[in-house]
């Protein structure tokens, strides 16, 4: 009898054409294309669990996920096989076999979220799906001086979306940095987890300031 194996993968994707991570009846998601790819390769109906749910249009440089399979394909084989059937906007960067206790969501220690702003008078056709265009010049000094207030373990209820299903609103932010390169301002937030729309609401609040 073949035993069930727990496979961890690292995925990168351009989220522009997707409705976020979780399977949705309205259209394609990252989870759905990964599961479709695995079904093509293994013939199994496999549920892929991600380290967190991303919203529509959000991109990933290295999101961790895991799934259980009876397939005997080795981890490197999964990289090659999945990348041969996935759309060009999604790629598996790494894969390995882990013990049964690993869970991409609950084993995650920290997550890093980057939110980018194009702060210029004119919009850029190359940044339209990668940055929020703000055409009024922002006060970086003030935003940077206030961002440390977000650090630590806090109740972030006021920054989450009304449809957030998280049971507890407390999260711990260990890093909040604002990096400016030319017209691009990048907000880097590292935390043990994020509530729905938490990062975009934090960035929006700092922009209002």
């Amino acid at each position: 009898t073949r035993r069930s194996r727990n496979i961890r993968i690292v995925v990168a994707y351009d989220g522009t054409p997707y409705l976020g991570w979780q399977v949705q009846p309205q259209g394609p998601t990252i989870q759905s294309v990964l599961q479709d790819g695995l079904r093509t390769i293994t013939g199994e109906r496999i549920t892929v669990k991600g380290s967190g749910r991303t919203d529509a249009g959000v991109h990933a440089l290295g999101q961790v996920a895991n799934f259980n399979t009876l397939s005997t394909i080795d981890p490197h084989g999964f990289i090659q096989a999945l990348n041969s059937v996935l759309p060009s906007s999604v790629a598996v960067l790494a894969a390995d076999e882990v013990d049964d206790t690993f869970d991409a969501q609950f084993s995650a220690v920290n997550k890093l979220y980057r939110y980018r702003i194009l702060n210029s008078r004119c919009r850029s056709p190359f940044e339209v799906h990668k940055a929020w265009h703000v055409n009024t010049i922002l006060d970086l000094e003030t935003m940077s001086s206030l961002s440390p207030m977000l650090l630590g373990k806090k109740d972030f209820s006021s920054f989450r979306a009304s449809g957030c299903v998280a049971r507890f609103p407390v999260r711990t932010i260990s890093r909040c940095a604002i990096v400016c390169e030319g017209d691009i301002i990048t907000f880097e937030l590292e935390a043990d987890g994020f509530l729905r729309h938490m990062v975009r609401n934090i960035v929006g609040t700092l922009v209002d300031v």
Side-chain angles (χ1 to χ4, degrees), residues 12-26:
Y13 51 84
D14 178 340
T16 304
Y18 301 100
L19 299 176
W21 170 268
Q22 193 171 17
V23 170
Q24 303 284 343
Q26 304 96 319

Side-chain angles (χ1 to χ4, degrees), residues 170-186:
V170 175
R171 296 291 186 272
T172 303
I173 294 182
S174 55
R175 181 168 180 257
C176 182
I178 301 175
V179 181
C180 185
E181 295 181 87
D183 292 334
I184 297 292
I185 301 170
T186 303

Side-chain angles (χ1 to χ4, degrees), residues 39-50:
R39 190 177 182 189
T40 300
I41 294 164
T42 67
E44 300 173 83
R45 288 185 176 273
I46 292 172
T47 299
V48 179
K49 187 167 189 179

Side-chain angles (χ1 to χ4, degrees), residues 85-102:
V85 298
L86 288 172
S88 59
S89 50
V90 183
V92 176
L93 307 180
D96 61 342
E97 186 170 347
V98 291
D99 64 50
D100 292 338
T101 61
F102 179 83

